Amino acid sequence: VIAHRTEAVRLEPDNASARLKLGLALHAQGDSQQAMKQYQQVLRITPDDANALTLIGVVMNELKEFDKAIEYFEKAIQINPNEAKTHASLAIALAAKGEAAAAVEHYGQALSADPSFPLALNNLARIRATHPDARLRDGTQAVVLAKRCCQLTGYKVATALDTLAAAYAETGQFDDAIKWQTQAAEIAQVQQKAAMTARLALYSA
């Protein structure tokens, strides 16, 4: 795929769509730096390309350069205010900076644009279920969001089940919390398993 898309860019160096597709292919292979170069070339050709702005922000999030990421996401939202992925990506950057209230707002906007967006459902439910600031917690909403996320992902994603368990724990429904946390721990990847098992012990207690 990359060879074909590289050739397309060589033949038409000012084709923004070809460069965006090459960037996506590079990004999918884990080559964020080369992907970023293609996204920046897209902006050279079409400075108001909201997709390219969002994708550069996503790379900045991966590099933990959250302030820069936020700038790109905010520009993208000015151009295209109804793109769920951009709002959710901005929310991730804001949450990483400790700005959870602003993150909640943008997860909400992501879900207004796309009510079936598992990432936004899960991450907003997580904040509502577990945030240390009681003003941001809402266990009832967390359960609704987390259940929707689990339905959409077929109850097969450990992090979604983990969030659902946390939501039930926040509402005091510990039997349900134990049930879903057990399932989460069973299917968790190795690096997640210890933390999920520890939460299971907490709910059981």
Side-chain angles (χ1 to χ4, degrees), residues 72-127:
Y72 280 101
F73 295 137
E74 287 179 341
K75 282 183 195 169
I77 285 167
Q78 284 174 359
I79 296 161
N80 183 2
N82 298 314
E83 180 53 55
K85 183 183 177 183
T86 310
H87 281 289
S89 299
L90 174 54
I92 288 168
L94 291 164
K97 289 192 67 192
E99 297 176 27
V104 164
E105 181 188 332
H106 283 284
Y107 281 131
Q109 291 194 49
L111 291 170
S112 292
D114 179 4
S116 299
F117 189 1
L119 176 86
L121 288 162
N122 181 74
N123 290 8
L124 181 53
R126 192 98 212 157
I127 293 171

Side-chain angles (χ1 to χ4, degrees), residues 177-189:
I178 290 164
K179 171 187 167 185
W180 294 114
Q181 194 65 40
T182 301
Q183 289 198 29
E186 281 173 1
I187 64 171
Q189 294 176 352

Side-chain angles (χ1 to χ4, degrees), residues 46-198:
T46 50
D48 288 343
D49 191 305
N51 268 339
L53 288 163
T54 296
L55 289 163
I56 291 172
V58 169
V59 175
M60 292 295 182
N61 269 359
E62 290 168 7
L63 297 172
K64 299 191 169 17
E65 294 185 23
F66 299 115
D67 287 325
K68 286 183 185 173
I70 287 165
E71 284 180 30
Y72 280 101
F73 295 137
E74 287 179 341
K75 282 183 195 169
I77 285 167
Q78 284 174 359
I79 296 161
N80 183 2
N82 298 314
E83 180 53 55
K85 183 183 177 183
T86 310
H87 281 289
S89 299
L90 174 54
I92 288 168
L94 291 164
K97 289 192 67 192
E99 297 176 27
V104 164
E105 181 188 332
H106 283 284
Y107 281 131
Q109 291 194 49
L111 291 170
S112 292
D114 179 4
S116 299
F117 189 1
L119 176 86
L121 288 162
N122 181 74
N123 290 8
L124 181 53
R126 192 98 212 157
I127 293 171
R128 292 304 199 196
T130 66
H131 199 275
D133 185 343
R135 290 170 298 181
L136 291 174
R137 289 203 307 276
D138 181 339
T140 303
Q141 188 192 30
V143 169
V144 171
L145 293 165
K147 279 174 78 171
R148 175 82 177 131
C149 180
C150 287
Q151 287 163 356
L152 288 165
T153 53
Y155 292 87
K156 290 175 183 170
V157 175
T159 49
L161 296 171
D162 183 55
T163 299
L164 181 57
Y168 277 123
E170 173 63 17
T171 58
Q173 300 176 72
F174 287 101
D175 287 343
D176 285 317
I178 290 164
K179 171 187 167 185
W180 294 114
Q181 194 65 40
T182 301
Q183 289 198 29
E186 281 173 1
I187 64 171
Q189 294 176 352
V190 175
Q191 64 267 32
Q192 301 170 317
K193 204 172 279 286
M196 291 192 183
T197 305

